[in-house]
Amino acid sequence: MTATESMPPSVETGPPVHQPGIVGKLKGHLDLLLNAGSLMATTVITSLLGFAYWWVAARTASEEAVGEASAAVSAMTLIGTIGMFGMGTMLISDLPAMQKRRWDLISTCLLVAGAAATVGGLAYVALAHLALPQLKDAMGGTAATVLLVFGIALNAVTLVLDEALVGLLQGPMQLTRNAWFAVSKLALLGLLAALPITLTGSMLTLTWIAGIVLSVAVLARVLRRRGMVDSLRPSPALLRGRGRATFDHNLLNLATYLPRAALPLVVTAVLSAEANASFYTAFMVLSFLAMVPGNVALTLFAVASGDKAALRSKVRMGLLICLGGGLPVAIVVALLAEPIMSVFGANYARNASSALAILTLTYVPFVFHHFFLAISRVQDRVRGAGIFSVFAGVAELLAAWYGGSRGSLTSLVTWVAIVMAIETVLVAPTVLRVVLPSRRDAAAENPEGTMSTTSLTLRERSWVALEYIRTVGPLTGVTAQGLRDALIGLHAADPTHRAVSRLDRTGGRWIHLDAPTFAAYVQEAVTDLGDGPVDFDEMTRTLQSEQRAHHPVRILVGGGYMALKVAHAYGDAGPVNTLVHELVQAAAEGRAASIPPMLRHRSALPKAWWKTYGLKVGKIRESLRIARPPQAGDDAPMRPWTAQLTVETARSAEVLGKMRVWRDEHAPGVTTSAITFAAFTAALQQLGLNPDTSAATFLADARRYLDKGVSIDSNFCWGPVLSPPDLTDPRAIHTALKAELASGKMLTIMLLRESKIMVTGAPGLPDPYPTEAPAEPRPRLTFSNQGRHDMLSDLPWAVEPAGRVNQSVPTLNGAEGITLTTSEMNGVLHLEATFHASTFDPAVVARALELVCTDPAALIMAAR
């Protein structure tokens, strides 16, 4: 592991918090997706195989037989749904909370639903015989009528059973039952079609009912094998106290489904059975589209259950799925309506292609209506929603009757679409109030005193889990109150500046505070250690050990020193040095800090990548060959381990001159940073720490690839893993690093990382440290050259350059990691080594730094 990877200080416990990405958001709604998924899969299977069923029926039976069968199926579905009497929805709500007698309650509800549906079936038969001769003719003889009533009751029972399985969190089982139903009825129809007989409407209805019986038999066998049914003793007493809720849910269920299920009956009554055959096929296509909002809405009640905060996020996710996925499909269906209907036959295309195109326009009303119902269930407004839906359903049926009476199927569906559009206007505010929070809701989601928020860029999100520390001093005239006043002045000039904002790691945003709130906030951000002597290294260690919080800038000041911990989301060396310089100067001068905000340049990385690679396929392929940090072998002996991050520092005013003299003679053109890295590796070897020299991580700034004038206000570096032939040879390090920078490979790595974060979400905090480490650790090296810090030369230093402290220290490292950070300021080399004292002896690491500052050339030559 390296300093660029997510390993937190030991004080941080608990799981990492991730900012929401696409996958992260999906994971957060797993309950919604799983519960709705089984229902949607059921609808997909039954719709696809149902499509095949009616296609075979249309090809092998007359239009009159198909019309009679579709009317019977509509009656079974409509009256069966009425016969459910809200039992299914009540079971979804109540079963998860029950510990005993679950199947007793289920069997009771099945009997009630079957009885109610039987009564409804008889009422339907009586109505057809007394008032609707066309429905009577479509019903057939006595045997067909009895079969229809039985099918109605059986359909109600299985509908309740399916929803009971969802309530038991056994969605796959209801999916299995419905799959068997869809396959078996299609197989039976195929068998009848192969016989030398004329298919009638009653025969088609019989295949449908037989499919239900077979599917229930399969389900019963599975339940019995798994021992899931503890008891089947119906007891009306179990329904006590559930009457009112069941009635309200039933009212809402009926009002929701009534117009959809009754429309084919209206078409048959007002137009003809032949017209209904065409309409039913078109309506079946629409039903396939409408399955997503219907099933998502059904599960919202179960998973949200009165939690308004959860409801908002789940409704947003549901709308994203329904509108983002379903609406484009609906548009395609509308454009291809005639070819789709021609699959069933020329008459179907001629009679219903326009009707299908118009029906697809009702997809958005379907979405909003279903979500309105789901929200009403969660907010305990079931009865009000039910009453509204009753009027809406009646309006749709009246519109269908009125439009059909004008003699055209197209006119019928047009009037229905108009009514549904009006319904959308009425219910949309309820949905949008949940999706779009009010000012009161927004205030509840934000800390007190929030003025506004700004989302983190992808680049900022990439680094939000990481921080590093800059410690400078001794200084004159810099106090805690002076730094607070400087920050307050910066906030007054620009309250949206990131240095004076609150960092929301979980939500992935900058929170901008009002003046009174920030004045209190800055008191926590800046801690006064007093005027007495301080240990500047201990100040750094203190900040290393602090838990990551919401301060993008955390400061300790005292004894003439300032230690500043900065979130990497704010910036790396460049932006942070600008911040350090201005804060110190402003505090010393007693004025407000002034730091102009940089343009965020969200597209800087993709543009830099395109500039480097373009369409050079070979170069792109090469850039994807990414090396990984060395790791301990799987068979390496381990020991219990606890993180204890620490830092050792050193500096020298003479060593840079010595390096240049040696370089001119032995390694012309090599950078002093390469010499430093090689000397440090050799020092560790000399002291017996046996570093892993197979590879090392080299942090590098990627701004070199940007166009002129493009500035980056946050972190824009990466740490490629390189394998020079010899990590104690400056020339090998220099050559490897130069080749890596010339390739621009780090741009690909950065782009891939940002793409992953966009999908999965960024970790708000690093992952926890391991509890074990290798028994014989080998240093895994990370090198970071901060470059020249001469821009800090004019700070109010209290001493000459040789005595100045200028540290840059990360706040994490792997169990075996040692990160060496180097910088130059006024001819002085500053070194900081970050590692775990629980892994390596601090005295040994400090001695390695001392050797590098004393005679790096001798270390390098001795290693040859």
Side-chain angles (χ1 to χ4, degrees):
M1 305 297 287
T2 72
T4 62
E5 295 180 295
S6 297
M7 300 287 290
S10 58
V11 297
E12 295 184 35
T13 58
V17 179
H18 289 263
Q19 296 173 25
I22 296 174
V23 172
K25 289 179 180 179
L26 293 179
K27 287 181 179 179
H29 300 285
L30 195 60
D31 50 0
L32 174 64
L33 297 176
L34 287 178
N35 284 278
S38 64
L39 295 175
M40 284 189 277
T42 296
T43 307
V44 169
I45 292 174
T46 55
S47 297
L48 290 177
L49 295 182
F51 178 91
Y53 179 93
W54 291 112
W55 183 85
V56 173
R59 295 291 179 174
T60 58
S62 65
E63 288 191 18
E64 182 179 2
V66 173
E68 291 176 359
S70 61
V73 170
S74 297
M76 290 165 53
T77 305
L78 171 63
I79 302 173
T81 301
I82 295 173
M84 290 176 69
F85 206 72
M87 296 292 174
T89 309
M90 181 268 289
L91 288 173
I92 290 177
S93 174
D94 290 5
L95 284 177
M98 295 182 65
Q99 300 298 323
K100 298 179 179 179
R101 304 194 69 184
R102 288 182 171 184
W103 280 96
D104 289 350
L105 177 61
I106 292 173
S107 61
T108 303
C109 292
L110 294 181
L111 285 178
V112 172
T118 300
V119 173
L122 294 174
Y124 171 75
V125 171
L127 178 65
H129 279 76
L130 295 175
L132 300 171
Q134 288 180 301
L135 289 181
K136 175 185 174 183
D137 295 339
M139 197 176 298
T142 302
T145 302
V146 173
L147 183 66
L148 175 61
V149 174
F150 174 72
I152 289 171
L154 184 61
N155 195 58
V157 169
T158 54
L159 289 174
V160 173
L161 180 59
D162 285 344
E163 295 194 0
L165 291 172
V166 174
L168 292 172
L169 302 181
Q170 295 294 331
M173 285 197 174
Q174 67 84 25
L175 172 60
T176 300
R177 189 206 71 78
N178 281 279
W180 273 97
F181 162 62
V183 171
S184 58
K185 77 175 189 291
L186 179 59
L188 290 172
L189 175 61
L191 179 63
L192 289 178
L195 297 176
I197 58 176
T198 301
L199 295 180
T200 64
S202 297
M203 292 179 179
L204 298 180
T205 304
L206 179 61
T207 63
W208 201 278
I209 295 173
I212 296 177
V213 173
L214 287 173
S215 68
V216 172
V218 171
L219 176 64
R221 185 178 181 184
V222 173
L223 292 173
R224 185 169 59 253
R225 280 186 173 182
R226 297 188 180 183
M228 296 181 60
V229 181
D230 50 2
S231 172
L232 283 174
R233 298 177 181 176
S235 174
L238 292 174
L239 297 179
R240 291 175 184 170
R242 293 185 166 98
R244 179 174 181 177
T246 300
F247 174 82
D248 289 343
H249 283 298
N250 186 52
L251 175 66
L252 184 53
N253 291 341
L254 295 180
T256 301
Y257 194 78
L258 180 65
R260 283 72 177 173
L263 275 176
L265 303 179
V266 173
V267 174
T268 301
V270 178
L271 297 176
S272 65
E274 290 78 5
N276 183 51
S278 298
F279 170 78
Y280 193 81
T281 54
F283 195 70
M284 181 179 60
V285 176
L286 175 66
S287 298
F288 182 77
L289 291 174
M291 71 167 178
V292 178
N295 290 327
V296 171
L298 178 62
T299 56
L300 276 176
F301 174 63
V303 299
S305 187
D307 186 347
K308 295 181 181 180
L311 176 65
R312 170 168 295 140
S313 64
K314 294 184 187 304
V315 170
R316 287 173 176 172
M317 176 57 65
L319 285 177
L320 177 64
I321 295 171
C322 296
L323 295 179
L327 186 57
V329 177
I331 294 173
V332 171
V333 171
L335 296 175
L336 301 178
E338 186 171 354
I340 291 173
M341 292 304 300
S342 66
V343 173
F344 297 92
N347 287 339
Y348 291 87
R350 181 170 54 256
N351 295 334
S353 59
S354 296
L356 175 59
I358 296 171
L359 284 173
T360 57
L361 299 178
T362 64
Y363 177 78
V364 173
F366 264 109
V367 172
F368 276 90
H369 196 129
H370 280 301
F371 276 78
F372 164 75
L373 301 179
I375 292 168
S376 298
R377 292 185 194 274
V378 173
Q379 295 178 341
D380 295 325
R381 299 175 181 174
V382 180
R383 181 164 295 183
I387 294 172
F388 170 83
S389 295
V390 166
F391 284 103
V394 170
E396 291 175 16
L397 292 176
L398 290 176
W401 194 284
Y402 175 77
S405 65
R406 301 169 73 91
S408 167
L409 182 60
T410 301
S411 176
L412 184 148
V413 297
T414 298
W415 279 97
V416 171
I418 291 173
V419 170
M420 293 184 69
I422 295 173
E423 293 172 17
T424 304
V425 174
L426 296 176
V427 302
T430 299
V431 178
L432 295 178
R433 275 194 298 269
V434 172
V435 176
L436 305 175
S438 63
R439 292 183 178 179
R440 180 182 301 176
D441 295 329
E445 293 179 359
N446 294 323
E448 184 178 355
T450 299
M451 291 176 55
S452 62
T453 62
T454 303
S455 297
L456 269 66
T457 63
L458 267 179
R459 186 164 55 253
E460 291 167 341
R461 288 167 58 191
S462 299
W463 295 95
V464 72
L466 306 181
E467 301 171 318
Y468 87 112
I469 301 165
R470 294 282 284 112
T471 304
V472 294
L475 305 163
T476 60
V478 178
T479 64
Q481 190 56 47
L483 287 168
R484 292 182 186 126
D485 292 341
L487 287 168
I488 291 173
L490 175 61
H491 180 272
D494 182 6
T496 64
H497 198 286
R498 295 173 305 144
V500 291
S501 298
R502 180 185 176 114
L503 177 58
D504 181 1
R505 298 176 184 275
T506 303
R509 56 184 183 159
W510 299 101
I511 299 177
H512 312 305
L513 308 174
D514 59 29
T517 304
F518 181 75
Y521 184 73
V522 79
Q523 296 294 321
E524 301 176 10
V526 181
T527 298
D528 190 354
L529 300 181
D531 297 329
V534 298
D535 182 341
F536 51 84
D537 281 340
E538 187 58 34
M539 292 172 68
T540 301
R541 295 187 190 103
T542 298
L543 289 179
Q544 279 184 323
S545 65
E546 278 190 3
Q547 186 173 359
R548 286 161 176 76
H550 43 72
H551 292 285
V553 178
R554 172 78 175 98
I555 301 175
L556 301 181
V557 59
Y561 292 91
M562 181 186 77
L564 178 145
K565 181 167 68 172
V566 186
H568 261 309
Y570 178 86
D572 49 22
V576 172
N577 273 342
T578 299
L579 176 65
V580 169
H581 182 272
E582 179 58 18
L583 286 182
V584 171
Q585 291 283 37
E589 298 170 8
R591 61 174 175 81
S594 177
I595 307 174
M598 296 182 180
L599 296 176
R600 306 188 83 186
H601 293 293
R602 294 175 182 265
S603 61
L605 178 57
K607 287 181 178 179
W609 186 91
W610 180 258
K611 175 185 175 183
T612 303
Y613 291 101
L615 297 177
K616 302 172 185 176
V617 178
K619 196 173 182 182
I620 295 174
R621 188 184 301 114
E622 177 64 26
S623 73
L624 294 175
R625 298 176 181 175
I626 302 171
R628 297 187 179 277
Q631 301 291 332
D634 294 336
D635 57 348
M638 306 295 284
R639 65 177 175 88
W641 181 82
T642 302
Q644 190 179 345
L645 197 67
T646 189
V647 63
E648 293 292 337
T649 65
R651 60 185 181 276
S652 173
E654 295 82 22
V655 71
L656 286 173
K658 295 179 180 180
M659 286 184 185
R660 294 184 178 107
V661 171
W662 180 88
R663 176 188 62 188
D664 294 342
E665 181 178 353
H666 297 279
V670 171
T671 61
T672 56
S673 60
I675 297 172
T676 305
F677 298 157
F680 183 69
T681 306
L684 294 177
Q685 285 183 334
Q686 188 177 109
L687 295 170
L689 289 186
N690 190 27
D692 184 346
T693 57
S694 63
T697 302
F698 293 82
L699 298 180
D701 194 336
R703 288 175 175 83
R704 67 187 74 241
Y705 305 107
L706 300 175
D707 291 329
K708 291 183 178 180
V710 177
S711 58
I712 299 295
D713 60 349
S714 57
N715 202 311
F716 204 67
C717 70
W718 189 251
V721 177
L722 305 180
S723 298
D726 185 356
L727 272 177
T728 64
D729 182 357
R731 288 169 297 188
I733 294 175
H734 177 81
T735 301
L737 189 56
K738 185 176 180 180
E740 178 71 18
L741 295 177
S743 72
K745 186 183 296 186
M746 69 171 66
L747 292 174
T748 299
I749 302 174
M750 293 167 66
L751 194 62
L752 290 174
R753 184 168 187 252
E754 288 193 7
S755 299
K756 178 183 178 182
I757 286 173
M758 181 174 64
V759 175
T760 64
L765 295 174
D767 295 331
Y769 276 120
T771 57
E772 291 185 328
E776 298 181 1
R778 300 183 64 190
R780 316 290 177 178
L781 299 176
T782 296
F783 298 118
S784 174
N785 177 33
Q786 294 270 316
R788 294 181 181 274
H789 290 177
D790 291 344
M791 68 171 297
L792 303 180
S793 299
D794 61 347
L795 295 183
W797 298 102
V799 296
E800 295 301 314
R804 296 171 184 173
V805 171
N806 179 49
Q807 298 178 0
S808 299
V809 179
T811 59
L812 54 83
N813 217 330
E816 296 181 280
I818 297 181
T819 299
L820 178 69
T821 308
T822 69
S823 62
E824 297 180 27
M825 187 172 69
N826 300 124
V828 177
L829 176 66
H830 295 264
L831 302 179
E832 298 86 43
T834 304
F835 59 98
H836 289 279
S838 51
T839 305
F840 304 111
D841 185 350
V844 176
V845 177
R847 176 59 179 161
L849 295 176
E850 181 182 345
L851 291 175
V852 173
C853 287
T854 302
D855 195 348
L859 292 169
I860 294 170
M861 299 301 287
R864 292 187 174 183

